[in-house]
Amino acid sequence: MTDPVRYERDGGIAVVTIENGPVNALSQAVRAGLDAAFERFAADDAARIAVIVGAGRLFIGGADISEFGTPPAAPLLPDVVGRIEASEKPVVAAIHGAALGGGLEVALGAHYRLALDGAQLGLPEVKLGIIPGAGGTQRAPRLIGLKAALAMIPAGGTVTAGAALEMRLVDRVAAGEDARAAGIAYARELLEQGAPARPVGALPRPVADAAALDEARARLARKARGEVAPLAAVDAIEAATRLDLAEGLAEERRIFRDLMETPQRAGLVHAFFIERKVAKLPEIDGIAPRGLDAIGVVGGGLMGAGIATAALLRGLPVTLVERDAAAAEKAAGTIAGNLDAAVKRGKLDQPRRDAILAEKLTVATGYEALSRADLIIEAVFEDMEVKKQVFAALDRVARPGAILATNTSYLDIDAIAASVSRPSDVIGLHFFSPAHVMKLLEVVVADKTAPEVTATAFALARRLGKIAVRAGVCDGFIGNRILSHCRAAADRMVLQGASPFQVDQAMRDFGFAMGPYAVVDLAGLDIGFLTRQRKARDRDPRDVVPTWADALYHMGRLGQKTGRGYYIYEAGSRVGRPDPGVEELIAKARAEAGVSPRDFTDEEIRRRYMAALVNEAARVIEEGIAQRPLDIDVTLLHGYGFPRWRGGPMKWADMTGLGSVLADVRRCAAEDDYFWRPAPLLERLVAENRNFDSLNAG
Ligand code: 3H9
């Protein structure tokens, strides 16, 4: 293996280059290389100043995350940074692309920092369940002050080079692409000025500010509910206000090590890696996607307009077809509204918004307008006959090789594909509402879908900034199928005596963004009612039908959109208060079913809900609807408000112990062996003493 750190000299300037693709992570070999380079620099009398640069597309992406969970190997990063800082001769960090986590900490160990325009700098460690562990919490506050450090580190955010200059995180911003040249030029200037070594650690402690610390803690308790690292980051920053550097570094290290051992760290690191692995599928390995230069959308309702917006925001031209001029105009209005909201959120500027509407969006009323599209997404009413009609029209007008996608959330895509002359071009693209905001995209691969069509769907997701998960065809695909099973488990508990509000609270306490009944209110009780109607034919007498939800539907209480569902929403509020009337409807349902209610503890609710989730997820894997457990984790994290710090439900199950989850399923099966049939895959993994993660390999 070639040495990942190079030491060269350009006159009196030592250039230390880190080359450890793809992100120059600070692996043991890099740490050892940096250590050796700075030992050499100290001894190299011809070198008067050093410049640290990263080879490739960025400076340093941070510590090597794949080393987490293994015993740390010397030299440790804090010691390497300490050695750089202690250099008697000045050291410059020349940053391009990104300096993240340990990467920024290396730069903070340097005495002067230059960043190229466009570089991102940050300490994102809390997103991995830890805090900066190589001096970031002690040096950054000395440089940028307490308030800026409190805004940046506990949120794990990044700043641009320009903002970094303003907050004095860097000393200079340079234009261009060549960090090495910019760093050398800066070093020359410093030499000419006789600039000395200037350790950040020698700066005075940041001034203590109890109010700012309190405010940060209160904000994080709200915003980062359930997470330990952000509050720990505040503790470490506070330590910088009262301890000298050496003591502060020791305190930071202690907190860092403790966090390294937490399940939250394991969950968040799992989330990081699976988000990258989810797009790596053997079936599309090495398969080139088709071109994607023009998108067609059929249907301009909320979903179709949202999909069009998502494409437009990423620079893709969109032609949207509606049934008549009035509907087309309405769709254009919805899209314009979406773009206005993006302008308000600072995601887009007004001139670009205007240009997108003027140049990239076409609305039309005839299918012929789609004849040049590379990929057409149908987002019309969820009815097989309607969809088939749309696909017949697309089959007529679409150019050969165009991809025909359906946004259905449950219909049989194999049947849709079978209705056209080119089934291999048909695929499901299940967006989540609002489609221009939600990150998840289920790519539903039908029986006959061609591999390059699947590859193109993944390429589209990347282009749209979305996370794509491969799913197979079944009612509800991965996410909605699991959700509907969890909801059935919750309905069973409610029928037996739990209140929906208790269920919601218990699951929020577990970490879900919303409880299942608050989600029903958000989606609309009409959706659930129609789904139950649709499935009525296949219903087993042992299925629990939430008749109270049907009653709410018939009363016109459809959830947030009517101001009342399970919860009551005061004018315009998106947070409801429990409606006691719902309890009465449920009491009636219990009486009708001859159930005498019993109490549930929150713990029992959580265990049942999670056991149902994992059990159904195991079936989803076994049936090949999800190919790997990680596909389920990513789906639940990005589409269903599952707490990221738990890594996803399959990671949660692995960490809880599959034996314990299976025992819960079996305990429930003892009283209800219809709903609670243990999934064979779960039983097999337990019998073989394996976990779900063992199925993620490869
Ligand atoms: C830290 O620094 C702790 C210190 O404070 C204390 C130490 C004592 N390590 O994302 P991409 C892999 S904590 C190992 O697709 P992009 C990644 O898995 C760290 N591997 O590229 C992928 O592998 P594969 C703080 C890493 O251009 C490949 O590189 N730093 C690491 O879209 C390409 O990644 C962070 O949290 C890593 N640090 O984005 C930054 N980073 O090809 C984490 C990436 O096999 N990284 N890989 O799938 C990122 O945010 C993005 O990767 C980055 C590049 C913005 C750098």
Side-chain angles (χ1 to χ4, degrees):
M1 210 177 92
T2 54
D3 198 341
V5 179
R6 273 197 319 276
Y7 182 96
E8 300 154 289
R9 229 163 8 73
D10 183 332
I13 301 171
V15 181
V16 176
T17 308
I18 300 167
E19 183 161 14
N20 182 31
V23 301
N24 296 332
L26 295 157
S27 63
Q28 191 278 335
V30 172
R31 297 194 301 273
L34 273 175
D35 210 41
F38 278 88
E39 191 175 6
R40 184 164 164 194
F41 173 54
D44 184 351
D45 290 338
R48 295 163 56 209
I49 188 166
V51 179
I52 311 175
V53 291
R57 58 200 171 96
L58 51 83
F59 178 66
I60 303 172
D64 187 338
I65 303 169
S66 61
E67 287 181 357
F68 289 8
T70 60
L76 301 183
L77 192 59
D79 299 333
V80 176
V81 173
R83 182 191 273 274
I84 296 171
E85 182 171 62
S87 165
E88 288 174 4
K89 298 182 274 189
V91 180
V92 176
I95 298 165
H96 74 293
L100 299 176
L104 182 54
E105 290 176 302
V106 166
L108 288 168
H111 306 136
Y112 299 89
R113 280 158 296 280
L114 168 142
L116 290 192
D117 247 343
Q120 293 282 329
L121 297 88
L123 294 166
E125 283 86 343
V126 294
K127 295 192 169 158
L128 299 170
I130 53 173
I131 62 164
T137 66
Q138 305 302 299
R139 292 192 179 90
R142 280 175 162 77
L143 203 54
I144 65 179
L146 183 70
K147 282 199 172 139
L150 285 173
M152 182 169 136
I153 304 174
T158 58
V159 293
T160 59
L165 183 65
E166 262 172 44
M167 64 206 281
R168 297 201 307 270
L169 191 59
V170 298
D171 304 287
R172 177 171 292 201
V173 174
E177 306 275 303
D178 190 343
R180 182 189 159 105
I184 289 176
Y186 186 30
R188 274 212 183 96
E189 260 181 60
L190 290 167
L191 275 184
E192 276 162 24
Q193 293 163 11
R198 197 187 60 167
V200 174
L203 292 171
R205 292 195 296 259
V207 180
D209 180 342
L213 288 161
D214 287 348
E215 189 279 322
R217 288 191 171 104
R219 176 169 39 88
L220 293 162
R222 261 194 336 270
K223 282 196 143 183
R225 195 171 54 89
E227 283 179 66
V228 290
L231 288 167
V234 178
D235 293 345
I237 296 168
E238 182 178 22
T241 65
R242 48 184 174 78
L243 302 176
D244 69 24
L245 185 74
E247 286 172 319
L249 289 176
E251 178 63 2
E252 176 193 79
R253 191 79 192 150
R254 187 189 63 73
I255 300 174
F256 172 82
R257 284 207 171 125
D258 283 353
L259 290 173
M260 208 41 134
E261 300 308 315
T262 58
Q264 294 204 359
R265 192 278 300 159
L268 287 163
V269 167
H270 175 77
F272 177 85
F273 281 119
I274 60 172
E275 280 162 2
R276 283 152 181 85
K277 204 165 173 185
V278 72
K280 293 189 179 121
L281 295 171
E283 74 192 273
I284 56 171
D285 190 19
I287 306 252
R290 294 182 188 166
L292 267 182
D293 296 316
I295 303 292
V297 176
V298 182
L302 272 187
M303 204 33 128
I307 294 169
T309 308
L312 291 166
L313 281 170
R314 293 295 175 132
L316 280 163
V318 173
T319 302
L320 186 144
V321 168
E322 255 295 355
R323 70 176 83 191
D324 56 41
E329 203 173 303
K330 186 160 177 241
T334 311
I335 294 169
N338 289 343
L339 294 177
D340 288 340
V343 172
K344 267 206 198 107
R345 288 199 311 273
K347 302 251 174 229
L348 190 70
D349 59 29
Q350 190 68 34
R352 234 185 94 55
R353 175 254 183 220
D354 296 343
I356 287 175
L357 285 180
E359 294 157 24
K360 301 270 183 183
L361 175 67
T362 310
V363 290
T365 54
Y367 284 101
E368 293 70 28
L370 298 172
S371 62
R372 302 232 304 273
D374 300 311
L375 182 147
I376 304 168
I377 307 166
E378 158 286 302
V380 302
F381 187 63
E382 286 280 47
D383 176 283
M384 185 55 99
E385 285 321 305
V386 177
K387 302 259 187 207
K388 280 187 178 166
Q389 280 167 25
V390 171
F391 270 77
L394 296 180
D395 203 7
R396 268 196 317 277
V397 301
R399 65 163 184 75
I403 293 173
L404 310 183
T406 169
N407 176 57
T408 181
S409 49
Y410 60 84
L411 289 173
D412 181 352
I413 300 174
D414 289 324
I416 296 176
S419 73
V420 294
S421 68
R422 34 176 143 177
S424 62
D425 291 335
V426 175
I427 196 161
L429 291 178
H430 182 213
F431 286 82
F432 288 69
S433 186
H436 56 296
V437 177
M438 293 288 284
K439 274 248 171 194
L440 182 66
L441 176 65
E442 277 181 311
V443 171
V444 191
V445 179
D447 255 2
K448 300 222 161 61
T449 307
E452 77 264 20
V453 171
T454 308
T456 313
F458 275 83
L460 173 74
R462 260 196 311 281
R463 186 89 188 260
L464 300 185
K466 305 220 175 282
I467 294 203
V469 175
R470 186 216 194 272
V473 176
C474 73
D475 195 325
F477 314 131
I478 296 178
N480 282 347
R481 168 159 163 191
I482 293 174
L483 177 71
S484 115
H485 192 75
C486 290
R487 219 170 257 163
D491 285 344
R492 289 179 121 73
M493 290 190 271
V494 167
L495 188 67
Q496 287 174 40
S499 102
F501 311 115
Q502 187 194 1
V503 172
D504 274 3
Q505 191 54 47
M507 296 324 296
R508 266 178 57 78
D509 290 346
F510 176 87
F512 272 95
M514 295 169 91
Y517 294 100
V519 172
V520 169
D521 271 5
L522 179 67
L525 275 92
D526 45 337
I527 306 277
F529 179 77
L530 293 173
T531 307
R532 283 191 292 284
Q533 294 263 300
R534 174 166 64 80
K535 292 185 176 172
R537 254 185 307 132
D538 309 324
R539 196 177 290 153
D540 185 280
R542 292 165 292 182
D543 284 323
V544 165
V545 180
T547 51
W548 60 89
D550 291 351
L552 287 171
Y553 168 80
H554 290 302
M555 291 155 83
R557 287 166 54 175
L558 304 185
Q560 284 196 18
K561 59 186 160 194
T562 58
R564 222 167 153 177
Y566 281 91
Y567 295 83
I568 298 171
Y569 302 86
E570 304 300 351
S573 171
R574 300 188 58 191
V575 183
R577 66 183 157 79
D579 184 342
V582 171
E583 307 265 23
E584 286 165 28
L585 293 172
I586 295 169
K588 198 163 153 247
R590 287 181 192 130
E592 278 165 11
V595 174
S596 27
R598 70 170 177 92
D599 284 341
F600 280 80
T601 63
D602 291 356
E603 174 67 9
E604 187 179 4
I605 289 172
R606 279 192 285 276
R607 288 180 76 148
R608 283 187 175 231
Y609 193 91
M610 288 308 298
L613 196 168
V614 173
N615 201 38
E616 185 66 3
R619 271 194 279 267
V620 164
I621 297 166
E622 187 136 49
E623 291 169 23
I625 302 302
Q627 292 194 329
R628 304 156 297 187
L630 70 85
D631 296 308
I632 291 175
D633 281 341
V634 172
T635 303
L636 273 283
L637 289 180
H638 288 284
Y640 295 85
F642 194 90
R644 185 179 173 80
W645 46 269
R646 291 194 188 271
M650 312 321 274
K651 181 68 180 174
W652 172 86
D654 279 354
M655 289 199 284
T656 301
L658 298 194
S660 146
V661 179
L662 179 60
D664 281 350
V665 174
R666 288 193 173 134
R667 236 188 322 277
C668 296
E671 63 181 61
D672 174 359
D673 64 357
Y674 164 69
F675 183 78
W676 290 99
R677 273 165 298 192
L681 175 64
L682 184 57
E683 293 186 302
R684 207 162 53 245
L685 288 174
V686 171
E688 292 169 5
N689 200 15
R690 290 168 63 199
N691 62 10
F692 283 117
D693 204 33
S694 67
L695 305 174
N696 284 330

